Amino acid sequence: METDSTAPELAMALALATARLRARLRSEQAEVTTGQTMSQLSVLGRVSEAGTTTASELAKAEHVRQQSIAETVSALKRQGLLAGRPDPSDGRKALLSLTEAGEDLVRSIVEHRGAWLARALDAHVTPAERAVLAQATHIMFRLADCAPLGEVPPVRERDAGALGR
């Protein structure tokens, strides 16, 4: 990919590269999962990071409807990977957390997936490229978690003062 690519070209290349890496990671983790979907694994990862969270917070973080997250949470509860308890500050809500089995599954996936990716980085990525990947990782997280474009001014307007423009 050329460094002077247009935003649409870069967007397409980024989407394709992300999809290919995601497929590879899914392939590498296949032997340690017990049949969870990528959506379920993503929710387990978010709950693992948060410690406890609500279905509403998960839906917002995952960019899905409440109904979709309810189905995912229900499946994970049936599998014994997620537990809910009443929120002491709002009895209408449930606080979700990983069960011991959920923690074990997340840990095994992270170890297995991380081991493959670490080996791939060692074998195929130079130290200079690792520095670029580290920067790109931060940017990708920022993109994944950004507000809808109508709610926040574009970077060039918002950060022009900070960038000295």
Side-chain angles (χ1 to χ4, degrees), residues 58-128:
L58 284 172
K60 184 176 179 181
E62 291 291 308
H63 306 285
V64 297
R65 298 181 333 255
Q66 288 279 350
Q67 182 180 6
S68 298
I69 210 69
E71 292 171 11
T72 300
V73 165
S74 179
L76 292 170
K77 284 181 175 180
R78 281 193 310 273
Q79 295 170 32
L81 301 171
L82 203 59
R85 62 179 168 80
D87 183 338
S89 64
D90 184 348
R92 297 169 297 168
K93 295 181 181 179
L95 293 177
L96 302 168
S97 59
L98 295 179
T99 63
E100 188 172 333
E103 289 173 357
D104 290 346
L105 179 61
V106 168
R107 191 172 23 262
S108 69
I109 291 169
V110 168
E111 289 170 1
H112 190 78
R113 187 187 274 185
W116 172 80
L117 197 48
R119 287 191 311 273
L121 287 168
D122 283 341
H124 302 287
V125 179
T126 68

Side-chain angles (χ1 to χ4, degrees), residues 44-52 98 141:
L44 289 173
R46 289 214 186 253
V47 175
S48 177
E49 290 172 9
T52 59
L98 295 179
F141 277 126

